[in-house]
Amino acid sequence: MPTVRDATIALMREFGMITIFGNPGSTELPMFRDFPADFGYVMGLQESVVIGMADGFAQATGRAALVNLHSSAGVGHALGNVFTAWKNQTPLVITAGQQARSIVAYEPFLFAERASEFPRPFVKWSCEPARAEDVPAAIARAFYVAMEPPCGPTFVSIPVDDWDRPCDMLQPRTVHAARVPERAAIEKCAAALAGARSPVLVVGAGVARDGAWDQVVALAERHSAPVWVTPMSARCSFPENHPLFAGFLTAGREAIVRALNGHDVVLALGGPVNLYHVEGQGPHMPPGTELWMIGDNHVHAAWAPEGTAIVAQCDKALAMLLEGPAPVSRAMPPVKPAPALLDGSVMTDSYVLQQVSALRPAHSIIVEEAPSSRGPMHDYLPITEPDTFFTTASGGLGHGLPAAVGIAMARTEQKVIAVLGDGSAMYAIQGLHAAAQAGAAVSFVILRNNRYEALHHFGQHFGLQTLHGTQFPELDFVSIAKGHGITAEQAYDAQSLNAALARSFSANTPTLVEALIA
Ligand SMILES: Cc1ncc(C[n+]2csc(CCOP(=O)(O)OP(=O)(O)O)c2C)c(N)n1
Ligand SMILES: [Mg+2]
């Protein structure tokens, strides 16, 4: 008779989840008895690294990734990046070990109390099966739920003695879960767009997730509509060198109203347009402006302060919108001037980013987690190709470094460049070891300014004069990288930077460049 392990492994194979991201402990080990030859195991030396890598891998493959964590403590370490995966809408099936059913009454060592509640509310579904033989069905449900738009992580807690119990095999099912828009609603939206005097598009990560880059370009061109990016978008959904590209909305109420002022129709696709980081006053949209929102996330549709929402995947909605009535003829909006070229006489973050842009290989992928350099990045490192930009949607740091490793594992034909703040890099620095072990040829570019610069900026917003304990000049990333098995060099001026970037970008092993920022 097959065991729970036989049935579960067979299902995972059917679902294409044959790479397991994990950090093991005693409560998980029986899962790995007779580890199947066609599966891979990627270890992270800390659980936030495990989730970050799985998140990057799942986003890059478009399929749920399987994670295995140690009971309570491992899940606890993982939670920060589970929160980010939730906001990224990344499908993950997260499993965690639990103590044996026969001893849970005695609150044993490593017992996970209320295991299925612990990762909530950052998982879409969570359970500890009532019986051992229910484990495969729980894994199947976790997969279907994770993959159903809006995608996201799910969680299954598995007692250690379940794996060897007898169990019937479970056949995978087909679940069609597409979010298709209601045609009548799209027709109204299309009519509003066609009749607008001055329409504007706002694109969020959902456009990239749904693979709708070409469609949104076509819609913008059809309507001569400028295109903004939703606040804090975690993906790039429109070419940032396109003449219709208008810029990045700030996560503040007044700033959003100012940017969209003068447009009579706003169409937001694939992400919340009214996402705030600070308090604000006044209206959420310019007075008299008609707002339409399309995206797969029904929760965004529900909390939006204004506008008409259509819950649907962007590619499906855009296909219908592109069949809509022809627009009135409109003048093209003015083109944004390009930023001045920097000569590198001062090593600013802008200069480093400009050189990353100049030297990066064709079709390379940028993973960003460098908070105070996000603005300079928008100016000096424009993203111009689909599916080549990733960052955290949650604002939680510690995602970028391991996510870059996971993306590189999935996209072996493309160079992955992780642009990281020195503070950000330290949240999940053990990801360097996973890159070395997997031979993932990521270029880690560390912007070393020896501090949490973004918090100094932000402190001013709250009227702080000084910010204690937020400097770390001791951190030496060349040594840290070498200690994790990665080749590294320091760049301290224009010449050393260009040489280091060129070496890093052409390497077929992981490398790190520590750029000293003035
Ligand atoms: C998990 C987590 N902890 C703390 C913060 C708050 N935070 C926002 S920006 C920032 C500073 C990041 O420093 P660094 O990566 O060096 O970038 P810099 O600000 O210097 O550009 C911090 C700590 C956060 N966003 N996420
Ligand atoms: Mg810093």
Side-chain angles (χ1 to χ4, degrees):
M1 175 120 194
T3 61
V4 168
R5 183 175 43 256
D6 296 332
T8 305
I9 294 284
L11 261 184
M12 290 175 183
R13 186 179 286 118
E14 290 288 342
F15 293 145
M17 297 193 296
I18 59 167
T19 304
I20 302 177
F21 295 85
N23 183 277
S26 52
T27 51
E28 299 79 61
L29 287 183
M31 177 179 178
F32 302 118
R33 187 175 302 131
D34 310 321
F35 194 77
D38 56 333
F39 277 50
Y41 184 81
V42 181
M43 193 183 62
L45 292 171
Q46 210 268 10
E47 286 81 354
S48 66
V49 173
V50 173
I51 299 284
M53 290 194 292
D55 179 315
F57 188 81
Q59 287 199 61
T61 56
R63 247 184 127 63
L66 191 97
V67 176
N68 181 250
L69 303 174
H70 193 37
S71 57
S72 290
V75 177
H77 286 164
L79 270 184
N81 271 339
V82 175
F83 169 57
T84 296
W86 163 256
K87 290 285 184 181
N88 281 350
Q89 296 187 198
T90 302
L92 295 179
V93 175
I94 304 171
T95 59
Q98 169 65 297
Q99 261 297 4
R101 290 176 192 270
S102 61
I103 55 171
V104 291
Y106 314 115
E107 207 155 309
F109 193 59
L110 295 173
F111 168 57
E113 189 175 339
R114 295 199 272 169
S116 66
E117 287 172 53
F118 191 30
R120 289 180 194 269
F122 306 126
V123 290
K124 293 177 69 183
W125 181 72
S126 174
C127 107
E128 186 171 278
R131 304 174 307 167
E133 53 267 48
D134 298 329
V135 168
I139 295 286
R141 180 166 169 186
F143 176 79
Y144 303 133
V145 173
M147 290 295 292
E148 179 182 288
C151 295
T154 54
F155 182 81
V156 184
S157 166
I158 306 171
V160 64
D161 54 329
D162 284 4
W163 292 106
D164 293 318
R165 303 257 179 241
C167 175
D168 289 329
M169 300 298 280
L170 185 72
Q171 288 310 312
R173 298 159 44 235
T174 301
V175 176
H176 295 282
R179 289 224 180 216
V180 182
E182 187 191 335
R183 187 168 283 278
I186 290 285
E187 279 169 4
K188 281 187 193 149
C189 176
L193 261 188
R197 170 183 47 77
S198 173
V200 63
L201 304 186
V202 183
V203 292
V207 173
R209 273 198 306 270
D210 295 337
W213 172 285
D214 290 338
Q215 290 168 298
V216 88
V217 169
L219 190 75
E221 289 175 354
R222 181 156 198 240
H223 290 277
S224 310
V227 179
W228 287 88
V229 176
T230 55
M232 307 290 189
S233 176
R235 300 282 297 268
C236 176
S237 294
F238 190 81
E240 294 169 14
N241 58 350
H242 192 285
L244 286 168
F245 183 68
F248 302 83
L249 290 182
T250 304
R253 195 147 152 175
E254 294 88 343
I256 291 169
V257 169
R258 224 178 297 124
L260 301 179
N261 199 24
H263 296 288
D264 53 345
V265 173
V266 176
L267 171 58
L269 287 148
V273 56
N274 289 108
L275 181 71
Y276 302 143
H277 187 190
V278 289
E279 285 182 287
Q281 303 290 324
H284 298 281
M285 276 289 128
T289 296
E290 181 181 346
L291 171 63
W292 288 82
M293 290 164 287
I294 300 176
D296 65 6
N297 197 318
H298 55 288
V299 179
H300 296 169
W303 65 246
E306 282 195 22
T308 305
I310 302 172
V311 179
Q313 282 163 257
C314 293
D315 54 335
K316 308 206 165 20
L318 279 158
M320 290 187 194
L321 279 174
L322 285 165
E323 294 165 4
V328 295
S329 115
R330 302 180 185 113
M332 284 283 280
V335 176
K336 251 179 55 159
L341 203 67
L342 306 171
D343 64 6
S345 53
V346 192
M347 272 273 281
T348 55
D349 53 355
S350 296
Y351 179 70
V352 175
L353 295 164
Q354 173 188 288
Q355 295 313 102
V356 169
S357 183
L359 299 172
R360 63 186 283 202
H363 317 308
S364 52
I365 294 171
I366 302 290
V367 181
E368 177 262 349
E369 194 172 286
S372 75
S373 300
R374 191 97 185 255
M377 194 191 114
H378 291 157
D379 290 335
Y380 288 98
L381 177 50
I383 307 298
T384 59
E385 288 182 293
D387 231 10
T388 56
F389 176 72
F390 298 85
T391 188
T392 160
S394 73
L397 303 177
H399 169 264
L401 193 155
V405 180
I407 293 166
M409 287 174 183
R411 298 273 178 84
T412 50
E413 301 299 306
Q414 287 165 282
K415 186 76 190 173
V416 175
I417 303 167
V419 177
L420 306 168
D422 44 4
S424 297
M426 289 307 295
Y427 286 88
I429 194 73
Q430 304 93 325
L432 293 180
H433 170 262
Q437 232 182 25
V442 178
S443 291
F444 299 97
V445 179
I446 308 288
L447 300 176
R448 180 172 172 189
N449 56 12
N450 298 326
R451 60 184 177 274
Y452 286 157
E453 174 63 21
L455 293 191
H456 290 264
H457 276 294
F458 221 74
Q460 288 160 12
H461 172 82
F462 289 114
L464 275 72
Q465 304 302 323
T466 51
L467 207 56
H468 296 282
T470 54
Q471 316 253 345
F472 29 79
E474 307 81 6
L475 292 177
D476 167 359
F477 285 88
V478 173
S479 300
I480 290 170
K482 287 185 177 162
H484 285 81
I486 287 193
T487 316
E489 56 184 309
Q490 190 182 70
Y492 44 86
D493 62 8
Q495 202 186 350
S496 59
L497 176 73
N498 291 326
L501 290 180
R503 273 193 286 272
S504 175
F505 293 167
S506 60
N508 52 16
T509 53
T511 52
L512 182 144
V513 176
E514 177 193 67
L516 297 185
I517 301 302

